Amino acid sequence: MTNVLSALKKILYTPSSNVFIQLFRNFFVGIAAFIVDFTLQYVLVDLCGMHYLIAQAISHVTGGLVNYLMSLFWVFDKKPQKRVYMPFIYFSIIGAVGLGINTFIIWLFTSIIGWYHMYSKIIATIVVFLFNFFARKYLLFK
């Protein structure tokens, strides 16, 4: 039992540079950010009547902020080492590229293929999840 608890502590609490532990943690961070993103898009589009591309931009940025803060404090063992404003600039650039990828995929699957916008968002989220993890790991938290 002690070995199991020790392993869980290492995986969940101990700072780690192990990419598999970071990816495991990032998976749960991604779920939290996805819940915020997905719920906000649903509320803005289906309950408030906002256009789906505008709503997805707002929800993507909000989910991205949740992801960044959780990544900063839990996923990566190293904190950004640039000047105070540089991590935010990198985060903003990565977020803008992720937003572009997200918007394109949602537009493609919703406007061109004809899917419900929330189904399109699921596909976009998977692609952007992987992009964000590796971009943040190698550009921001190196």
Side-chain angles (χ1 to χ4, degrees):
M1 185 68 158
T2 305
N3 289 341
V4 172
L5 292 176
S6 177
L8 281 175
K9 182 178 178 184
K10 180 178 180 181
I11 291 170
L12 297 176
Y13 299 110
T14 305
S16 176
S17 61
N18 182 305
V19 71
F20 295 108
I21 292 175
Q22 291 176 342
L23 191 57
F24 176 81
R25 290 176 182 176
N26 194 68
F27 176 76
F28 290 101
V29 168
I31 289 172
F34 174 76
I35 290 169
V36 169
D37 183 357
F38 199 80
T39 302
L40 187 55
Q41 180 168 333
Y42 177 79
V43 167
L44 292 175
V45 175
D46 292 344
L47 300 181
C48 297
M50 187 179 286
H51 188 273
Y52 74 93
L53 290 178
I54 294 169
Q56 81 81 31
I58 293 168
S59 68
H60 180 84
V61 168
T62 305
L65 287 171
V66 168
N67 193 308
Y68 176 73
L69 292 172
M70 290 180 76
S71 293
L72 183 65
F73 294 107
W74 187 50
V75 174
F76 299 106
D77 66 321
K78 297 179 180 164
K79 304 300 178 224
Q81 297 181 6
K82 309 282 188 239
R83 292 181 202 102
V84 173
Y85 62 88
M86 289 306 291
F88 184 75
I89 290 172
Y90 284 140
F91 169 74
S92 298
I93 291 168
I94 292 167
V97 172
L99 177 60
I101 294 168
N102 199 48
T103 301
F104 174 75
I105 292 171
I106 291 174
W107 169 81
L108 176 70
F109 281 90
T110 303
S111 294
I112 303 301
I113 297 175
W115 286 13
Y116 175 54
H117 70 96
M118 298 305 285
Y119 298 150
S120 303
K121 186 162 193 73
I122 291 169
I123 301 299
T125 298
I126 293 167
V127 173
V128 173
F129 168 82
L130 292 170
F131 167 78
N132 282 342
F133 174 77
F134 288 106
R136 288 179 183 138
K137 173 154 182 69
Y138 294 110
L139 296 174
L140 190 57
F141 296 101
K142 55 185 173 179

mmCIF file of all heavy atoms in Angstrom, residues 94-129:
data_model
loop_
_atom_site.group_PDB
_atom_site.id
_atom_site.type_symbol
_atom_site.label_atom_id
_atom_site.label_comp_id
_atom_site.label_asym_id
_atom_site.label_seq_id
_atom_site.Cartn_x
_atom_site.Cartn_y
_atom_site.Cartn_z
ATOM 1 N N ILE A 94 0.879 31.318 -28.377
ATOM 2 C CA ILE A 94 0.410 29.925 -28.446
ATOM 3 C C ILE A 94 -1.114 29.890 -28.448
ATOM 4 O O ILE A 94 -1.737 29.160 -29.223
ATOM 5 C CB ILE A 94 0.984 29.096 -27.277
ATOM 6 C CG1 ILE A 94 2.497 28.939 -27.434
ATOM 7 C CG2 ILE A 94 0.306 27.733 -27.183
ATOM 8 C CD1 ILE A 94 3.208 28.423 -26.190
ATOM 9 N N GLY A 95 -1.726 30.696 -27.600
ATOM 10 C CA GLY A 95 -3.181 30.761 -27.542
ATOM 11 C C GLY A 95 -3.799 31.261 -28.838
ATOM 12 O O GLY A 95 -4.832 30.757 -29.279
ATOM 13 N N ALA A 96 -3.162 32.249 -29.467
ATOM 14 C CA ALA A 96 -3.685 32.780 -30.742
ATOM 15 C C ALA A 96 -3.608 31.729 -31.843
ATOM 16 O O ALA A 96 -4.544 31.583 -32.636
ATOM 17 C CB ALA A 96 -2.917 34.039 -31.135
ATOM 18 N N VAL A 97 -2.490 30.993 -31.891
ATOM 19 C CA VAL A 97 -2.376 29.923 -32.891
ATOM 20 C C VAL A 97 -3.408 28.835 -32.601
ATOM 21 O O VAL A 97 -4.095 28.359 -33.517
ATOM 22 C CB VAL A 97 -0.937 29.346 -32.919
ATOM 23 C CG1 VAL A 97 -0.864 28.116 -33.808
ATOM 24 C CG2 VAL A 97 0.049 30.410 -33.404
ATOM 25 N N GLY A 98 -3.540 28.451 -31.325
ATOM 26 C CA GLY A 98 -4.550 27.462 -30.948
ATOM 27 C C GLY A 98 -5.958 27.934 -31.279
ATOM 28 O O GLY A 98 -6.792 27.158 -31.756
ATOM 29 N N LEU A 99 -6.231 29.203 -31.053
ATOM 30 C CA LEU A 99 -7.539 29.770 -31.395
ATOM 31 C C LEU A 99 -7.775 29.697 -32.898
ATOM 32 O O LEU A 99 -8.868 29.358 -33.356
ATOM 33 C CB LEU A 99 -7.642 31.219 -30.911
ATOM 34 C CG LEU A 99 -8.926 31.971 -31.261
ATOM 35 C CD1 LEU A 99 -10.149 31.276 -30.677
ATOM 36 C CD2 LEU A 99 -8.837 33.410 -30.756
ATOM 37 N N GLY A 100 -6.742 29.990 -33.690
ATOM 38 C CA GLY A 100 -6.868 29.889 -35.141
ATOM 39 C C GLY A 100 -7.167 28.467 -35.594
ATOM 40 O O GLY A 100 -8.043 28.238 -36.437
ATOM 41 N N ILE A 101 -6.438 27.520 -35.030
ATOM 42 C CA ILE A 101 -6.680 26.106 -35.362
ATOM 43 C C ILE A 101 -8.088 25.708 -34.945
ATOM 44 O O ILE A 101 -8.828 25.078 -35.713
ATOM 45 C CB ILE A 101 -5.628 25.203 -34.657
ATOM 46 C CG1 ILE A 101 -4.226 25.466 -35.215
ATOM 47 C CG2 ILE A 101 -5.998 23.729 -34.814
ATOM 48 C CD1 ILE A 101 -3.103 24.837 -34.381
ATOM 49 N N ASN A 102 -8.471 26.091 -33.734
ATOM 50 C CA ASN A 102 -9.793 25.777 -33.204
ATOM 51 C C ASN A 102 -10.900 26.368 -34.076
ATOM 52 O O ASN A 102 -11.847 25.676 -34.457
ATOM 53 C CB ASN A 102 -9.878 26.326 -31.775
ATOM 54 C CG ASN A 102 -10.989 25.703 -30.967
ATOM 55 O OD1 ASN A 102 -11.135 24.502 -30.940
ATOM 56 N ND2 ASN A 102 -11.746 26.535 -30.289
ATOM 57 N N THR A 103 -10.771 27.632 -34.423
ATOM 58 C CA THR A 103 -11.780 28.315 -35.232
ATOM 59 C C THR A 103 -11.903 27.668 -36.610
ATOM 60 O O THR A 103 -13.012 27.427 -37.096
ATOM 61 C CB THR A 103 -11.431 29.813 -35.381
ATOM 62 O OG1 THR A 103 -11.355 30.395 -34.078
ATOM 63 C CG2 THR A 103 -12.472 30.547 -36.211
ATOM 64 N N PHE A 104 -10.762 27.371 -37.229
ATOM 65 C CA PHE A 104 -10.782 26.754 -38.546
ATOM 66 C C PHE A 104 -11.485 25.394 -38.517
ATOM 67 O O PHE A 104 -12.334 25.105 -39.357
ATOM 68 C CB PHE A 104 -9.363 26.591 -39.111
ATOM 69 C CG PHE A 104 -9.340 25.828 -40.404
ATOM 70 C CD1 PHE A 104 -9.760 26.430 -41.581
ATOM 71 C CD2 PHE A 104 -8.941 24.495 -40.433
ATOM 72 C CE1 PHE A 104 -9.772 25.729 -42.775
ATOM 73 C CE2 PHE A 104 -8.942 23.783 -41.617
ATOM 74 C CZ PHE A 104 -9.359 24.399 -42.796
ATOM 75 N N ILE A 105 -11.136 24.564 -37.544
ATOM 76 C CA ILE A 105 -11.739 23.228 -37.470
ATOM 77 C C ILE A 105 -13.235 23.319 -37.194
ATOM 78 O O ILE A 105 -14.036 22.618 -37.827
ATOM 79 C CB ILE A 105 -11.012 22.361 -36.415
ATOM 80 C CG1 ILE A 105 -9.588 22.047 -36.892
ATOM 81 C CG2 ILE A 105 -11.791 21.075 -36.135
ATOM 82 C CD1 ILE A 105 -8.715 21.381 -35.854
ATOM 83 N N ILE A 106 -13.641 24.193 -36.278
ATOM 84 C CA ILE A 106 -15.070 24.340 -35.982
ATOM 85 C C ILE A 106 -15.812 24.877 -37.210
ATOM 86 O O ILE A 106 -16.886 24.392 -37.558
ATOM 87 C CB ILE A 106 -15.289 25.230 -34.740
ATOM 88 C CG1 ILE A 106 -14.803 24.485 -33.494
ATOM 89 C CG2 ILE A 106 -16.759 25.620 -34.591
ATOM 90 C CD1 ILE A 106 -14.831 25.297 -32.220
ATOM 91 N N TRP A 107 -15.247 25.866 -37.873
ATOM 92 C CA TRP A 107 -15.869 26.396 -39.096
ATOM 93 C C TRP A 107 -15.992 25.303 -40.162
ATOM 94 O O TRP A 107 -17.045 25.132 -40.768
ATOM 95 C CB TRP A 107 -15.041 27.568 -39.634
ATOM 96 C CG TRP A 107 -15.463 27.975 -41.014
ATOM 97 C CD1 TRP A 107 -16.520 28.770 -41.357
ATOM 98 C CD2 TRP A 107 -14.851 27.580 -42.243
ATOM 99 N NE1 TRP A 107 -16.601 28.894 -42.724
ATOM 100 C CE2 TRP A 107 -15.576 28.168 -43.290
ATOM 101 C CE3 TRP A 107 -13.752 26.778 -42.553
ATOM 102 C CZ2 TRP A 107 -15.253 27.978 -44.620
ATOM 103 C CZ3 TRP A 107 -13.423 26.596 -43.883
ATOM 104 C CH2 TRP A 107 -14.171 27.191 -44.895
ATOM 105 N N LEU A 108 -14.910 24.558 -40.382
ATOM 106 C CA LEU A 108 -14.894 23.505 -41.406
ATOM 107 C C LEU A 108 -15.980 22.467 -41.140
ATOM 108 O O LEU A 108 -16.786 22.150 -42.026
ATOM 109 C CB LEU A 108 -13.516 22.832 -41.449
ATOM 110 C CG LEU A 108 -13.368 21.652 -42.407
ATOM 111 C CD1 LEU A 108 -13.405 22.146 -43.854
ATOM 112 C CD2 LEU A 108 -12.062 20.920 -42.137
ATOM 113 N N PHE A 109 -16.022 21.957 -39.926
ATOM 114 C CA PHE A 109 -16.972 20.888 -39.617
ATOM 115 C C PHE A 109 -18.407 21.392 -39.469
ATOM 116 O O PHE A 109 -19.350 20.645 -39.736
ATOM 117 C CB PHE A 109 -16.533 20.123 -38.362
ATOM 118 C CG PHE A 109 -15.444 19.139 -38.624
ATOM 119 C CD1 PHE A 109 -14.117 19.510 -38.531
ATOM 120 C CD2 PHE A 109 -15.734 17.826 -38.985
ATOM 121 C CE1 PHE A 109 -13.093 18.607 -38.784
ATOM 122 C CE2 PHE A 109 -14.730 16.912 -39.249
ATOM 123 C CZ PHE A 109 -13.397 17.299 -39.145
ATOM 124 N N THR A 110 -18.582 22.658 -39.070
ATOM 125 C CA THR A 110 -19.936 23.189 -38.890
ATOM 126 C C THR A 110 -20.486 23.783 -40.186
ATOM 127 O O THR A 110 -21.563 23.400 -40.641
ATOM 128 C CB THR A 110 -19.956 24.245 -37.768
ATOM 129 O OG1 THR A 110 -19.465 23.648 -36.565
ATOM 130 C CG2 THR A 110 -21.360 24.768 -37.529
ATOM 131 N N SER A 111 -19.746 24.705 -40.783
ATOM 132 C CA SER A 111 -20.253 25.413 -41.972
ATOM 133 C C SER A 111 -20.116 24.616 -43.256
ATOM 134 O O SER A 111 -20.972 24.705 -44.136
ATOM 135 C CB SER A 111 -19.531 26.754 -42.135
ATOM 136 O OG SER A 111 -19.870 27.605 -41.068
ATOM 137 N N ILE A 112 -19.068 23.856 -43.408
ATOM 138 C CA ILE A 112 -18.832 23.126 -44.653
ATOM 139 C C ILE A 112 -19.429 21.722 -44.604
ATOM 140 O O ILE A 112 -20.136 21.306 -45.518
ATOM 141 C CB ILE A 112 -17.309 23.057 -44.972
ATOM 142 C CG1 ILE A 112 -16.705 24.461 -45.044
ATOM 143 C CG2 ILE A 112 -17.049 22.271 -46.245
ATOM 144 C CD1 ILE A 112 -17.324 25.382 -46.079
ATOM 145 N N ILE A 113 -19.171 20.993 -43.533
ATOM 146 C CA ILE A 113 -19.641 19.606 -43.432
ATOM 147 C C ILE A 113 -21.054 19.536 -42.869
ATOM 148 O O ILE A 113 -21.796 18.611 -43.162
ATOM 149 C CB ILE A 113 -18.639 18.759 -42.612
ATOM 150 C CG1 ILE A 113 -17.286 18.720 -43.346
ATOM 151 C CG2 ILE A 113 -19.155 17.348 -42.368
ATOM 152 C CD1 ILE A 113 -16.175 18.032 -42.615
ATOM 153 N N GLY A 114 -21.446 20.531 -42.062
ATOM 154 C CA GLY A 114 -22.815 20.600 -41.565
ATOM 155 C C GLY A 114 -23.055 19.975 -40.199
ATOM 156 O O GLY A 114 -24.192 19.706 -39.827
ATOM 157 N N TRP A 115 -21.998 19.767 -39.422
ATOM 158 C CA TRP A 115 -22.155 19.202 -38.090
ATOM 159 C C TRP A 115 -22.673 20.254 -37.110
ATOM 160 O O TRP A 115 -22.479 21.462 -37.302
ATOM 161 C CB TRP A 115 -20.824 18.708 -37.565
ATOM 162 C CG TRP A 115 -20.304 17.437 -38.160
ATOM 163 C CD1 TRP A 115 -20.752 16.786 -39.276
ATOM 164 C CD2 TRP A 115 -19.200 16.673 -37.672
ATOM 165 N NE1 TRP A 115 -19.995 15.677 -39.502
ATOM 166 C CE2 TRP A 115 -19.038 15.577 -38.535
ATOM 167 C CE3 TRP A 115 -18.342 16.808 -36.598
ATOM 168 C CZ2 TRP A 115 -18.052 14.625 -38.356
ATOM 169 C CZ3 TRP A 115 -17.355 15.867 -36.405
ATOM 170 C CH2 TRP A 115 -17.228 14.774 -37.274
ATOM 171 N N TYR A 116 -23.271 19.796 -36.040
ATOM 172 C CA TYR A 116 -23.651 20.642 -34.900
ATOM 173 C C TYR A 116 -22.362 21.216 -34.310
ATOM 174 O O TYR A 116 -21.358 20.517 -34.178
ATOM 175 C CB TYR A 116 -24.400 19.772 -33.891
ATOM 176 C CG TYR A 116 -24.776 20.420 -32.585
ATOM 177 C CD1 TYR A 116 -25.501 21.613 -32.544
ATOM 178 C CD2 TYR A 116 -24.448 19.811 -31.383
ATOM 179 C CE1 TYR A 116 -25.860 22.179 -31.330
ATOM 180 C CE2 TYR A 116 -24.813 20.365 -30.161
ATOM 181 C CZ TYR A 116 -25.514 21.553 -30.147
ATOM 182 O OH TYR A 116 -25.875 22.111 -28.940
ATOM 183 N N HIS A 117 -22.359 22.506 -33.967
ATOM 184 C CA HIS A 117 -21.137 23.191 -33.546
ATOM 185 C C HIS A 117 -20.453 22.533 -32.350
ATOM 186 O O HIS A 117 -19.231 22.566 -32.231
ATOM 187 C CB HIS A 117 -21.413 24.680 -33.263
ATOM 188 C CG HIS A 117 -22.231 24.933 -32.039
ATOM 189 N ND1 HIS A 117 -21.660 25.242 -30.833
ATOM 190 C CD2 HIS A 117 -23.564 24.910 -31.833
ATOM 191 C CE1 HIS A 117 -22.617 25.420 -29.937
ATOM 192 N NE2 HIS A 117 -23.779 25.218 -30.515
ATOM 193 N N MET A 118 -21.201 21.902 -31.464
ATOM 194 C CA MET A 118 -20.594 21.272 -30.296
ATOM 195 C C MET A 118 -19.831 19.991 -30.676
ATOM 196 O O MET A 118 -18.829 19.660 -30.059
ATOM 197 C CB MET A 118 -21.652 20.979 -29.227
ATOM 198 C CG MET A 118 -22.344 22.241 -28.693
ATOM 199 S SD MET A 118 -21.228 23.515 -28.044
ATOM 200 C CE MET A 118 -20.755 22.784 -26.502
ATOM 201 N N TYR A 119 -20.292 19.280 -31.696
ATOM 202 C CA TYR A 119 -19.557 18.103 -32.190
ATOM 203 C C TYR A 119 -18.251 18.562 -32.842
ATOM 204 O O TYR A 119 -17.199 17.939 -32.673
ATOM 205 C CB TYR A 119 -20.376 17.298 -33.183
ATOM 206 C CG TYR A 119 -21.662 16.720 -32.622
ATOM 207 C CD1 TYR A 119 -22.765 16.516 -33.439
ATOM 208 C CD2 TYR A 119 -21.787 16.376 -31.271
ATOM 209 C CE1 TYR A 119 -23.940 15.987 -32.947
ATOM 210 C CE2 TYR A 119 -22.966 15.854 -30.772
ATOM 211 C CZ TYR A 119 -24.038 15.663 -31.615
ATOM 212 O OH TYR A 119 -25.205 15.140 -31.121
ATOM 213 N N SER A 120 -18.339 19.647 -33.601
ATOM 214 C CA SER A 120 -17.136 20.202 -34.234
ATOM 215 C C SER A 120 -16.121 20.617 -33.178
ATOM 216 O O SER A 120 -14.913 20.450 -33.352
ATOM 217 C CB SER A 120 -17.506 21.420 -35.080
ATOM 218 O OG SER A 120 -18.462 21.090 -36.053
ATOM 219 N N LYS A 121 -16.626 21.160 -32.088
ATOM 220 C CA LYS A 121 -15.742 21.617 -31.007
ATOM 221 C C LYS A 121 -14.975 20.457 -30.380
ATOM 222 O O LYS A 121 -13.824 20.607 -29.984
ATOM 223 C CB LYS A 121 -16.542 22.362 -29.942
ATOM 224 C CG LYS A 121 -15.654 22.983 -28.880
ATOM 225 C CD LYS A 121 -16.410 24.046 -28.142
ATOM 226 C CE LYS A 121 -15.493 24.906 -27.313
ATOM 227 N NZ LYS A 121 -14.688 25.809 -28.102
ATOM 228 N N ILE A 122 -15.587 19.293 -30.289
ATOM 229 C CA ILE A 122 -14.900 18.129 -29.726
ATOM 230 C C ILE A 122 -13.682 17.772 -30.577
ATOM 231 O O ILE A 122 -12.590 17.549 -30.052
ATOM 232 C CB ILE A 122 -15.864 16.931 -29.593
ATOM 233 C CG1 ILE A 122 -16.901 17.236 -28.510
ATOM 234 C CG2 ILE A 122 -15.095 15.646 -29.286
ATOM 235 C CD1 ILE A 122 -18.051 16.257 -28.458
ATOM 236 N N ILE A 123 -13.833 17.739 -31.900
ATOM 237 C CA ILE A 123 -12.705 17.446 -32.799
ATOM 238 C C ILE A 123 -11.626 18.519 -32.652
ATOM 239 O O ILE A 123 -10.442 18.217 -32.514
ATOM 240 C CB ILE A 123 -13.183 17.372 -34.272
ATOM 241 C CG1 ILE A 123 -14.249 16.286 -34.455
ATOM 242 C CG2 ILE A 123 -12.005 17.165 -35.213
ATOM 243 C CD1 ILE A 123 -13.789 14.890 -34.132
ATOM 244 N N ALA A 124 -12.037 19.769 -32.657
ATOM 245 C CA ALA A 124 -11.087 20.879 -32.526
ATOM 246 C C ALA A 124 -10.343 20.810 -31.202
ATOM 247 O O ALA A 124 -9.135 21.065 -31.143
ATOM 248 C CB ALA A 124 -11.824 22.215 -32.658
ATOM 249 N N THR A 125 -11.032 20.462 -30.145
ATOM 250 C CA THR A 125 -10.423 20.402 -28.818
ATOM 251 C C THR A 125 -9.317 19.354 -28.757
ATOM 252 O O THR A 125 -8.260 19.596 -28.161
ATOM 253 C CB THR A 125 -11.498 20.109 -27.751
ATOM 254 O OG1 THR A 125 -12.445 21.180 -27.766
ATOM 255 C CG2 THR A 125 -10.897 19.982 -26.366
ATOM 256 N N ILE A 126 -9.523 18.209 -29.361
ATOM 257 C CA ILE A 126 -8.502 17.155 -29.365
ATOM 258 C C ILE A 126 -7.240 17.636 -30.064
ATOM 259 O O ILE A 126 -6.123 17.473 -29.555
ATOM 260 C CB ILE A 126 -9.055 15.874 -30.017
ATOM 261 C CG1 ILE A 126 -10.170 15.272 -29.147
ATOM 262 C CG2 ILE A 126 -7.938 14.856 -30.261
ATOM 263 C CD1 ILE A 126 -10.991 14.196 -29.833
ATOM 264 N N VAL A 127 -7.397 18.256 -31.222
ATOM 265 C CA VAL A 127 -6.243 18.749 -31.984
ATOM 266 C C VAL A 127 -5.515 19.845 -31.212
ATOM 267 O O VAL A 127 -4.286 19.827 -31.070
ATOM 268 C CB VAL A 127 -6.686 19.255 -33.378
ATOM 269 C CG1 VAL A 127 -5.538 19.925 -34.110
ATOM 270 C CG2 VAL A 127 -7.250 18.099 -34.209
ATOM 271 N N VAL A 128 -6.259 20.797 -30.681
ATOM 272 C CA VAL A 128 -5.652 21.931 -29.985
ATOM 273 C C VAL A 128 -5.043 21.497 -28.644
ATOM 274 O O VAL A 128 -4.026 22.041 -28.224
ATOM 275 C CB VAL A 128 -6.672 23.078 -29.819
ATOM 276 C CG1 VAL A 128 -6.125 24.202 -28.948
ATOM 277 C CG2 VAL A 128 -7.052 23.624 -31.194
ATOM 278 N N PHE A 129 -5.627 20.491 -27.998
ATOM 279 C CA PHE A 129 -5.046 19.941 -26.761
ATOM 280 C C PHE A 129 -3.599 19.505 -26.998
ATOM 281 O O PHE A 129 -2.696 19.867 -26.248
ATOM 282 C CB PHE A 129 -5.892 18.755 -26.274
ATOM 283 C CG PHE A 129 -5.232 17.938 -25.187
ATOM 284 C CD1 PHE A 129 -5.293 18.350 -23.868
ATOM 285 C CD2 PHE A 129 -4.559 16.762 -25.492
ATOM 286 C CE1 PHE A 129 -4.689 17.596 -22.863
ATOM 287 C CE2 PHE A 129 -3.951 16.009 -24.494
ATOM 288 C CZ PHE A 129 -4.019 16.425 -23.182
#
